[in-house]
Amino acid sequence: MARIERETSNVDMQDLADLAGVSRSTVSRALNDSPLVSDRTKEKIRQLALEHNFVMNETARSLRLQRSNIVCLVLMHDVEVGHHLSDPFFLRMVGCVVDALAEAGHDLMLYHKPVESAAEFLSTRVYRQCDGAIFIGQGTIHDELNKLAKYSKPIVVWGANMPGRNYRIVGTDNTKGGEQATRHLIEQGCKRIAFFGDTRKPELALRHNGYAAALHSAGLKPDESLELKPPMERGAADEMIADFIRDNTDIDGIVCCSDLLAASAISALKRHGISVPGDVAVTGYDDLEVGARMSPSLTTVSQDIRAGGAQLVKKMMGMLSGKQVRDSIFDSSLVVRESSLHGGQ
C-alpha cells in the first residue's frame, strides 16, 4: 500500500512542545532563532517540526509580534536640491538592499523625501507601518538620527562614524579613500589639487580629512580657495563647478566626492578647452558603472555597494531578532583609469 504524504500538519506548537519536552515559548523562540535557546534544543525542535510537517502561521506570528515584515528604506537627499531615483548610486544601493531583503523574507517600503527631523519622520505612514528603517546616508541630521535610535523600531545607517553616535552604521573607510585619491594625484605630479564635496556631510568630511592628510604628507599646504561644496546632484552642481573652473585655471588636479561630481568636472573642463588628464587630472568616488564608460574613463575610489547593502539588511534582521549587532566598515580601494594619468601617461 502506497504511503500518503500529508500536505498539512495537524501538529500545533503545543504538540511540538510536548514532543520536545519543553515549553511552548521555547518552541516559539527556537523556531525564531532566539539566542535564548541553545543550538542543541533549536536543532531538536527544528527536526521535530520537519518530521511533522509543521509550518508556522506567518500571519498569526506577525500579529503576535506586531510585525509587518516591511523595512523602510530612506534615501537621504540634499534638503536644498533633492536627489532623484535616476542617481546611479541610489539605484544601485536600492537594488542591493531589495535583493537582500527578499532573501530575508521581508518587503521594502521606499521613502523618497528629504528628512529634516526625527519628529517629522516619526509621524509618517511609512514609519508607522514598518518594522525598522535603513537610511542611505546621514545627510546633515546626525543628531536627529540619534533621536530616532531611542525609539523601539531599529534603524541602521549607511554612513560614517560620528562622535556620540548611538545607531549602527555600515560604510567604508572614507578617510582612507580620500587619502588614496589625493596621494595618487600627487604621485602623478599634481600640486594644485582642488576638492569637490560638501563637508557638512559626515562621509564627505572624512574624505576631506584624507585629502588634507595626503597633502600634508607631501609637504603641500591645503588651500581653502580650492575647496568647493557643490550639492551631490549633477544638475544642481554643474553651474557651480563651471564657475569654479573658470576662476581657477591654475589647478592641475581635482578630487571629487562622487563619480557624478567628477563627470560634471570633466565636462566643465572640456568646455573651457582644458585637457583631461593632460592639463588637469580628476578622480571620482563610488566606482559606478558609468565611470568606466566615460571618456576619459574615470579613476575612482571603489565602495563595495553590494556587500554594503547585504550588511545593512543583515544588521536590521539581527536587531529585529533582538540581537546585539556591530558596525561594519569596509576597506576602500582606488581604481586607476585614464582620467588621472596626468600628462596622459
Side-chain angles (χ1 to χ4, degrees):
M1 183 176 178
R3 181 185 176 188
I4 299 175
E5 295 288 343
R6 290 181 302 172
E7 293 184 359
T8 58
S9 174
N10 293 321
V11 174
D12 62 18
M13 193 174 290
Q14 185 58 57
D15 293 329
L16 276 185
D18 294 340
L19 288 167
V22 298
S23 67
R24 182 188 177 98
S25 61
T26 298
V27 171
S28 177
R29 291 190 184 104
L31 294 177
N32 286 294
D33 198 26
S34 169
L36 299 175
V37 181
S38 70
D39 290 340
R40 182 178 178 181
T41 301
K42 286 180 188 176
E43 183 59 27
K44 179 180 179 180
I45 292 170
R46 287 169 182 162
Q47 285 299 321
L48 286 169
L50 185 63
E51 290 171 11
H52 293 276
N53 300 321
F54 176 81
V55 179
M56 289 190 69
N57 186 322
E58 288 296 328
T59 300
R61 175 175 176 268
S62 295
L63 288 172
R64 285 196 306 274
L65 297 176
Q66 295 186 320
R67 294 275 178 83
S68 64
N69 287 339
I70 296 173
V71 171
C72 177
L73 182 65
V74 184
L75 307 182
M76 290 297 294
H77 310 315
D78 282 329
V79 173
E80 297 92 341
V81 298
H83 274 291
H84 305 284
L85 273 178
S86 58
D87 184 320
F89 174 81
F90 280 124
L91 281 175
R92 190 170 171 188
M93 182 60 84
V94 168
C96 294
V97 170
V98 168
D99 289 345
L101 281 174
E103 290 183 12
H106 279 63
D107 295 321
L108 174 138
M109 184 179 290
L110 187 64
Y111 189 72
H112 185 52
K113 179 184 176 182
V115 174
E116 298 186 61
S117 71
E120 170 201 345
F121 186 62
L122 288 169
S123 67
T124 62
R125 176 176 59 86
V126 294
Y127 183 80
R128 292 194 300 271
Q129 293 183 352
C130 73
D131 294 334
I134 294 173
F135 287 77
I136 307 303
Q138 291 155 304
T140 56
I141 64 162
H142 163 67
D143 291 336
E144 298 302 311
L145 290 172
N146 265 346
K147 293 176 185 176
L148 278 176
K150 295 178 181 178
Y151 289 83
S152 58
K153 294 183 180 182
I155 67 169
V156 185
V157 180
W158 173 270
N161 189 6
M162 295 286 290
R165 173 176 55 83
N166 56 29
Y167 51 86
R168 299 277 67 79
I169 62 165
V170 176
T172 56
D173 189 337
N174 289 282
T175 303
K176 181 179 179 182
E179 187 172 6
Q180 286 173 318
T182 309
R183 186 171 63 246
H184 171 70
L185 294 187
I186 292 170
E187 290 170 351
Q188 297 300 307
C190 299
K191 296 186 182 300
R192 293 278 292 170
I193 303 173
F195 178 90
F196 289 1
D198 187 349
T199 52
R200 294 176 301 171
K201 298 177 174 61
E203 290 176 279
L204 276 56
L206 291 178
R207 293 171 196 177
H208 179 269
N209 290 347
Y211 157 83
L215 291 179
H216 282 300
S217 294
L220 300 174
K221 186 177 180 180
D223 184 345
E224 289 187 5
S225 70
L226 299 183
E227 297 175 10
L228 187 67
K229 295 179 172 60
M232 295 285 279
E233 197 276 315
R234 184 170 181 179
D238 280 346
E239 184 176 353
M240 187 182 296
I241 289 174
D243 290 344
F244 176 91
I245 289 172
R246 183 194 62 222
D247 297 337
N248 293 274
T249 57
D250 60 339
I251 60 172
D252 53 12
I254 307 174
V255 171
C256 298
C257 280
S258 77
D259 289 350
L260 290 187
L261 289 181
S264 288
I266 290 173
S267 178
L269 287 163
K270 287 181 176 180
R271 288 198 303 273
H272 283 82
I274 300 171
S275 170
V276 179
D279 299 319
V280 178
V282 178
T283 64
Y285 210 106
D286 289 332
D287 194 20
L288 302 175
E289 292 180 5
V290 65
R293 298 196 299 267
M294 288 170 55
S295 180
S297 57
L298 182 63
T299 292
T300 184
V301 177
S302 179
Q303 302 192 90
D304 193 338
I305 297 175
R306 176 158 295 280
Q311 278 296 314
L312 286 165
V313 172
K314 183 177 180 180
K315 306 297 181 192
M316 176 57 64
M317 294 301 105
M319 294 174 75
L320 289 173
S321 298
K323 298 177 181 177
Q324 294 291 324
V325 301
R326 298 181 178 179
D327 302 326
S328 289
I329 303 296
F330 297 98
D331 203 1
S332 63
S333 60
L334 187 70
V335 180
V336 177
R337 300 193 183 104
E338 298 168 342
S339 69
S340 65
L341 298 178
H342 206 35
Q345 299 175 356

